[in-house]
Amino acid sequence: MKIKDVLSALENFAPLPLQEDYDNAGLQIGLTEAEVSGALLCLDVTEKVVDEAMRNGCNLIVAHHPLIFRPLRHISDTTYVERAVLKAIKNDIAIVAMHTNMDNAEGGVNYKIAERLGLKGVRLMAEKSVGDTIGGSGVVGELPEPLAASDFISLVKERFGVSVAQCNELLNRPVKTVALCGGAGSFLLGDAIRNGADAFITGEMSYHAFFGSEQRIQIVVIGHYESEQFTNEIFKTIIEERCPGVRCVLTHVNTNPINYL
């Protein structure tokens, strides 16, 4: 099985036309004709992740966030991006990113978040089509049973392993319909309200965005990394189903740059 076969499988699941205009998903580094020795699956690519791929004999890294997001004017040892690029090239490691195309794909990042919460009837919140491909930003679904707002927040914290969440004031009605968007999803708050959601979960939101929705919707912000931490499980499922025989390794490197002290 070659790297190009794995790349094709991932892009068939989450076609590149689904990515946002600002994004840089797809192949980042490497030769696609090389045979896959193993695929390391992660959220972010850092030097430690490249080292982990080397230790595990993996010549392919599949990440959610692109290592090369903005154009590189030079490649030296100045930044962590440049150092990771150099190390990957020197060690013949290919790097692939499945970013907003995987966010927007049916069965992608947001569906995985919904799965972790046990939501039912999950559907795209802001649907769009690109050619024959249907995708969209965010999803909405229903809890099996209504929960008090405080109990719902406790459920979210437990399912995503977070000790703290940023929330607006507690909703004084039960939470049943839940809208969500992994990562930076505050742009979908209005869509969540229009879809009749009782709660909206995302990874990050600015201070001022919390104003104005009191008792309209329960906002729960759990952190960018925390909201997308299970994305590598999606990669594993796709590769194992569509590229049998390719060894998949889930990263053990926590790349979250934010610490709560």
Side-chain angles (χ1 to χ4, degrees), residues 159-174:
R159 293 291 169 86
F160 290 87
V162 299
S163 58
V164 63
Q166 293 181 314
C167 308
N168 58 350
E169 68 178 25
L170 285 177
L171 200 65
N172 58 18
R173 67 174 190 273

Side-chain angles (χ1 to χ4, degrees), residues 151-205:
D151 292 334
F152 171 71
I153 293 166
S154 295
L155 173 70
V156 174
K157 290 166 63 178
E158 184 268 322
R159 293 291 169 86
F160 290 87
V162 299
S163 58
V164 63
Q166 293 181 314
C167 308
N168 58 350
E169 68 178 25
L170 285 177
L171 200 65
N172 58 18
R173 67 174 190 273
V175 173
K176 175 66 173 177
T177 302
V178 178
L180 59 88
C181 179
S186 60
F187 68 100
L188 286 171
L189 179 60
D191 291 279
I193 294 170
R194 285 188 289 274
N195 275 270
D198 302 304
F200 177 62
I201 304 169
T202 191
E204 58 180 280
M205 183 177 286

Side-chain angles (χ1 to χ4, degrees), residues 174-234:
V175 173
K176 175 66 173 177
T177 302
V178 178
L180 59 88
C181 179
S186 60
F187 68 100
L188 286 171
L189 179 60
D191 291 279
I193 294 170
R194 285 188 289 274
N195 275 270
D198 302 304
F200 177 62
I201 304 169
T202 191
E204 58 180 280
M205 183 177 286
S206 67
Y207 173 83
H208 293 286
F210 282 85
F211 285 102
S213 298
E214 296 82 2
Q215 298 309 319
R216 298 177 71 192
I217 194 167
Q218 182 69 65
I219 297 171
V220 186
V221 179
I222 61 174
H224 195 124
Y225 177 93
E226 290 82 357
S227 69
E228 297 180 332
Q229 62 185 296
F230 304 108
T231 301
N232 55 12
E233 294 178 5
I234 305 172

Side-chain angles (χ1 to χ4, degrees), residues 19-28 66 68-70 97 99-100:
Q19 71 178 308
E20 302 296 336
D21 292 340
Y22 60 80
D23 203 7
N24 187 36
L27 180 69
Q28 303 248 296
I68 303 174
F69 190 71
R70 297 177 180 84
H99 191 208
T100 53

